[in-house]
Amino acid sequence: MDLFFNLLINGLATGMLIFLLAAGLTLIFGLMDVLNFAHGGLFVWGAYAGIFAYSWSGSFIVGILGAIVTGLVFGWITEKLIITPVYGNHVQQILITLGFMLVLSEFIKVAFGPNSIPVEVPSYLAGSWELGDVIVIKYRIFIILIGFAVFGIFQYILKRTKIGLTVRAGVMNKEMVQVLGINIKRVFLFVFMTGSALAALGGVLMAPYSGVIYSEMGMEYAILGFIVVVIGGMGSFSGSLMAAILVGLAGSFMAYYVPYLSLAVNMILMAIVLIFRPQGLFTNVKEG
């Protein structure tokens, strides 16, 4: 039983980190119909910028804020310069954002060097608690709490606030929202920047969890993010959470019980979903 709980906590923590990346993808695609393959680049820039701010200030909170600000800035740049010219064209979106992600990854090497950088867990989040025979690592519990908090906040914003209502209305009928005097382009820019900030937040939280950051990590975790989006349903915020938890748990348990399948289990899950429920496991965020 102690082994089960340890694997459960590990899987939940990994799932929450993937969710932060996938949540941004879900917001951007589900509300704006934009396929943003540059999302992994925003993830890795959040990791590097956040850890740089953490090292400079000595405060992990400052590091998190630095990552979020970086995500917002890069989100603004991406939407204005990269996405705006290709709205409505998915093929061009895939090509241009994939190229932009490669550019972002290479610029990491220019700004921070080509070598990987070790990262330590903040002292107040280091260590573990012992609950009987179960060892609970503090940082993993912190990640799980952050993940659920982000989910709850965004569910509330999307369904209970004026900005959430405006965004959802803009998805259904842009022209009608504009007639009411609302700048829908500005609203969608806000959504894109928010999704980018979530990716950057996931990056800086992943750094102490993995213990190292490197320029290629954006591509690796972007693949997991897209797997989660496909499994959960394209545009389903709740689906992204459930799918991320499923992927995290599957990876954790498979790595222990069936190690040779641990790398393939995510692809197997996605293949099963695509065969039996190609629309994903949950409804689209546009539908509520």
Side-chain angles (χ1 to χ4, degrees):
M1 187 60 68
D2 57 330
L3 174 63
F4 172 81
F5 279 111
N6 281 322
L7 293 175
L8 178 66
I9 292 171
N10 293 348
L12 282 174
T14 303
M16 285 304 174
L17 288 170
I18 300 171
F19 164 69
L20 291 174
L21 178 62
L25 286 171
T26 297
L27 283 175
I28 292 170
F29 179 80
L31 299 177
M32 300 173 62
D33 200 28
V34 170
L35 289 169
N36 180 25
F37 277 75
H39 213 65
L42 303 174
F43 176 85
V44 71
W45 266 95
Y48 270 83
I51 295 307
F52 176 80
Y54 171 35
S55 300
W56 172 76
S57 66
S59 170
F60 191 56
I61 300 300
V62 172
I64 290 175
L65 293 176
I68 292 174
V69 170
T70 300
L72 291 172
V73 171
F74 274 90
W76 185 89
I77 294 172
T78 305
E79 201 276 343
K80 284 291 186 181
L81 302 182
I82 305 298
I83 300 299
T84 297
V86 294
Y87 267 121
N89 191 322
H90 286 165
V91 174
Q92 290 186 7
Q93 288 170 8
I94 292 172
L95 293 175
I96 195 170
T97 57
L98 185 58
F100 189 55
M101 185 182 72
L102 296 176
V103 170
L104 289 174
S105 297
E106 289 304 310
F107 266 105
I108 282 288
K109 298 176 183 178
V110 175
F112 299 98
N115 298 325
S116 59
I117 299 175
V119 181
E120 295 183 358
V121 176
S123 58
Y124 49 87
L125 292 174
S128 60
W129 296 295
E130 291 187 15
L131 304 177
D133 294 328
V134 180
I135 298 176
V136 180
I137 298 176
K138 294 179 182 179
Y139 189 71
R140 291 175 181 170
I141 298 299
F142 171 72
I143 291 173
I144 293 170
L145 294 177
I146 290 290
F148 278 117
V150 167
F151 174 76
I153 290 170
F154 276 87
Q155 281 289 85
Y156 178 82
I157 290 174
L158 287 172
K159 296 186 176 182
R160 304 290 183 185
T161 66
K162 184 177 179 180
I163 183 63
L165 178 63
T166 302
V167 169
R168 292 160 67 86
V171 171
M172 297 177 188
N173 194 324
K174 298 178 184 177
E175 291 76 15
M176 181 60 70
V177 172
Q178 288 176 324
V179 167
L180 294 174
I182 298 173
N183 189 334
I184 194 63
K185 290 184 179 180
R186 186 176 298 171
V187 173
F188 279 0
L189 174 61
F190 167 77
V191 171
F192 196 95
M193 291 173 65
T194 302
S196 301
L198 284 177
L201 174 62
V204 72
L205 293 178
M206 173 63 77
Y209 182 78
S210 62
V212 66
I213 53 177
Y214 47 95
S215 59
E216 293 81 12
M217 65 186 292
M219 177 69 80
E220 295 177 13
Y221 287 101
I223 293 173
L224 285 176
F226 277 102
I227 289 173
V228 164
V229 170
V230 170
I231 293 175
M234 298 293 283
S236 172
F237 201 71
S238 300
S240 291
L241 175 69
M242 300 306 296
I245 292 175
L246 177 62
V247 167
L249 291 176
S252 177
F253 280 88
M254 280 291 184
Y256 184 82
Y257 289 107
V258 194
Y260 61 88
L261 284 180
S262 60
L263 295 177
V265 65
N266 298 323
M267 294 297 180
I268 294 172
L269 286 172
M270 184 172 67
I272 293 172
V273 171
L274 288 174
I275 292 171
F276 294 103
R277 191 175 171 84
Q279 71 272 31
L281 299 178
F282 296 86
T283 58
N284 192 287
V285 70
K286 298 177 185 177
E287 303 167 3

